[in-house]
Amino acid sequence: MDTRANDCIREHEQLAAKRSIFEAHWREIAERVRPSQDMFMRPIRPEGDKRNEKIFDSTATLALDKFAAAVISMSFPATQIYQKLTIDNDTLSNDSGVRRYFDNVTNIVFKTRYSAKADFQAQSTEVVLDIGAFGTGVLFIDDVVGLGIRYKSLPLSQCYVAEDAYGRVDTLYRKFQWTAHQAASKFGKERLPEAMQKALDVEPTRRFWWLHVVKPNPDKNPRAADWRGFDYWSCYISVEEGRNIVDEGGYRTFPFAVPRFSTAANEVYGRSPAMKVLPDIKMLNEMSKTILRAGQQAVAPPIMLADDGVLQAFNMRPNALNFGALNEQGQPRVMPFEMRSRVDIGLDMMNQRRETINDAVFVTLFRIFVEEPNIR
């Protein structure tokens, strides 16, 4: 076993243990707000399984989509140039040649970012959804040989981060699964552990656990011309087979953007708008179940029958004939049981919870901006 790999695995286990309380919180939110990312504390789930069993009211999920759409349209719309490169030097910034240079570089940046191969638009949407739901998102910016810059939103359930002395995220561990085919396409068959090479021949879709580590380069050599002179060290570790480093390299800058909505004191991971109103989200789901039961009883109430053995099997079909349903005086032997449920009051209470949830994720605020654009 590579001692460096063993050290990384141990550090990953420490980071995982520290955020266990967060994961329990995130799982509750994922079950009710973002079910597609319900992989906390259960990282292996069958593809295509149902994950919305605990959602009886879709207010929170729809509000999260509106939150993401509003943030993207107001912060980084794909149809506009929302960033420009400049320089702090006032003399140079006023030079027409310098301005033209920065304008050209800005155009190149946006063409690269919004090219079909980069996939920035779709992946950034996933990150904003994670920010609204969990308070933390992870965007991987990689330079793929033959493809160029590539953006990839990583599930928060797979990523474990740490900060430097200034509160900046400078370390990320990602534990994930790759098939033998995916690993071979990344590293080549000859570099894989023996078990993976065998699986590649007979079962290429078999999955194996991997650990990707990016952290400040502990052995940086400023004189080195390769990745050993970079600020960040990167490695891929085969966790199951051999527990060895299969590939290592480096980055000049930290390749992950880890935006956080808000952070509490002494916490690394962010807290989200959905966390603030999680009790309201849970309450709204319980209210929905209660109102559904009350509405069903109002539409199809229980039937009360006389206990004298006169009636035959009672038929509830339309236009059915039920002999014996009236006594000799013409009074019914059968009547519905009226629950007298106040469904209207329940609906009013649900609307109050819906307004609170929409306010928490700024849906109401964004709606005002759309209706009154002059107040921005």
Side-chain angles (χ1 to χ4, degrees):
M1 181 191 302
D2 191 325
T3 57
R4 295 180 302 165
N6 190 40
D7 292 340
C8 289
I9 293 173
R10 184 173 59 253
E11 185 175 357
H12 166 260
E13 292 173 348
Q14 294 171 353
L15 292 174
K18 288 181 179 179
R19 79 169 205 183
S20 58
I21 298 177
F22 261 113
E23 288 192 349
H25 202 170
W26 291 334
R27 183 176 185 181
E28 284 192 289
I29 295 173
E31 290 173 339
R32 297 166 176 85
V33 182
R34 190 148 160 69
S36 63
Q37 295 297 320
D38 185 12
M39 295 176 289
F40 301 100
M41 307 174 74
R42 188 182 172 186
I44 302 177
R45 301 195 62 159
E47 296 183 11
D49 65 328
K50 294 182 179 179
R51 303 184 185 182
N52 56 357
E53 294 88 349
K54 292 192 176 182
I55 298 178
F56 290 86
D57 186 278
S58 58
T59 298
T61 56
L62 294 177
L64 180 62
D65 290 337
K66 294 175 184 177
F67 169 83
V71 169
I72 292 171
S73 64
M74 298 181 67
S75 301
F76 45 97
T79 57
Q80 300 178 18
I81 294 180
Y82 47 83
Q83 290 176 319
K84 285 189 176 181
L85 298 178
T86 185
I87 190 170
D88 291 336
N89 189 303
D90 293 335
T91 302
L92 291 177
S93 64
N94 293 325
D95 184 89
S96 59
V98 173
R99 288 202 304 269
R100 283 196 302 271
Y101 169 78
F102 280 121
D103 288 341
N104 291 334
V105 176
T106 299
N107 291 331
I108 294 173
V109 169
F110 273 80
K111 287 181 181 179
T112 302
R113 181 179 297 173
Y114 285 98
S115 68
K117 295 179 180 179
D119 199 25
F120 173 78
Q121 194 165 359
Q123 300 303 314
S124 60
T125 300
E126 292 293 319
V127 173
V128 176
L129 289 171
D130 282 345
I131 294 172
F134 310 120
T136 304
V138 180
L139 184 66
F140 182 31
I141 305 100
D142 196 14
D143 188 1
V144 182
V145 177
L147 293 178
I149 301 298
R150 174 76 178 176
Y151 297 86
K152 177 62 178 176
S153 171
L154 302 180
L156 182 58
S157 59
Q158 298 178 354
C159 300
Y160 306 80
V161 300
E163 294 178 336
D164 63 10
Y166 306 100
R168 301 172 300 186
V169 175
D170 68 344
T171 300
L172 188 142
Y173 284 71
R174 180 194 175 201
K175 188 177 182 181
F176 63 100
Q177 284 189 317
W178 262 344
T179 64
H181 168 70
Q182 289 173 314
S185 64
K186 175 68 175 179
F187 309 118
K189 180 178 179 179
E190 66 282 353
R191 299 174 64 183
L192 300 181
E194 183 178 355
M196 290 189 194
Q197 294 185 20
K198 293 180 179 178
L200 185 63
D201 296 329
V202 298
E203 193 181 1
T205 58
R206 180 183 170 187
R207 293 183 176 273
F208 297 88
W209 283 105
W210 290 85
L211 187 65
H212 183 202
V213 181
V214 179
K215 57 191 297 187
N217 194 343
D219 302 314
K220 179 182 176 182
N221 181 7
R223 297 181 179 180
D226 57 4
W227 60 266
R228 294 172 179 82
F230 294 169
D231 289 335
Y232 293 91
W233 175 61
S234 169
C235 73
Y236 286 87
I237 301 171
S238 173
V239 178
E240 292 176 289
E241 304 297 333
R243 295 167 68 94
N244 289 320
I245 295 177
V246 176
D247 181 74
E248 63 180 320
Y251 296 94
R252 293 184 175 87
T253 59
F254 193 60
F256 299 97
V258 187
R260 292 164 288 179
F261 186 81
S262 65
T263 55
N266 300 321
E267 290 184 352
V268 176
Y269 298 94
R271 291 179 177 265
S272 69
M275 289 182 178
K276 297 180 181 179
V277 290
L278 181 58
D280 293 276
I281 295 172
K282 296 167 71 173
M283 187 186 305
L284 181 58
N285 277 278
E286 292 300 320
M287 286 180 174
S288 297
K289 289 191 286 185
T290 301
I291 294 299
L292 285 173
R293 287 193 295 264
Q296 187 178 25
Q297 290 172 347
V299 175
I303 303 298
M304 298 186 296
L305 304 175
D307 188 20
D308 55 8
V310 176
L311 286 175
Q312 303 295 323
F314 198 74
N315 192 342
M316 296 289 292
R317 292 180 299 176
N319 299 322
L321 301 177
N322 289 282
F323 297 98
L326 299 176
N327 60 18
E328 292 79 2
Q329 291 78 31
Q331 297 174 336
R333 298 175 182 271
V334 180
M335 64 180 59
F337 180 68
E338 297 183 7
M339 302 293 291
R340 302 186 184 276
S341 302
R342 292 294 305 273
V343 177
D344 56 332
I345 296 179
L347 292 175
D348 290 339
M349 295 175 63
M350 290 176 63
N351 287 332
Q352 293 175 4
R353 301 277 74 76
R354 291 188 177 111
E355 290 179 4
T356 301
I357 294 170
N358 285 326
D359 288 343
V361 295
F362 309 106
V363 171
T364 306
L365 178 62
F366 290 138
R367 187 183 299 128
I368 294 175
F369 285 159
V370 172
E371 295 174 354
E372 301 291 341
N374 295 328
I375 68 174
R376 296 185 187 180

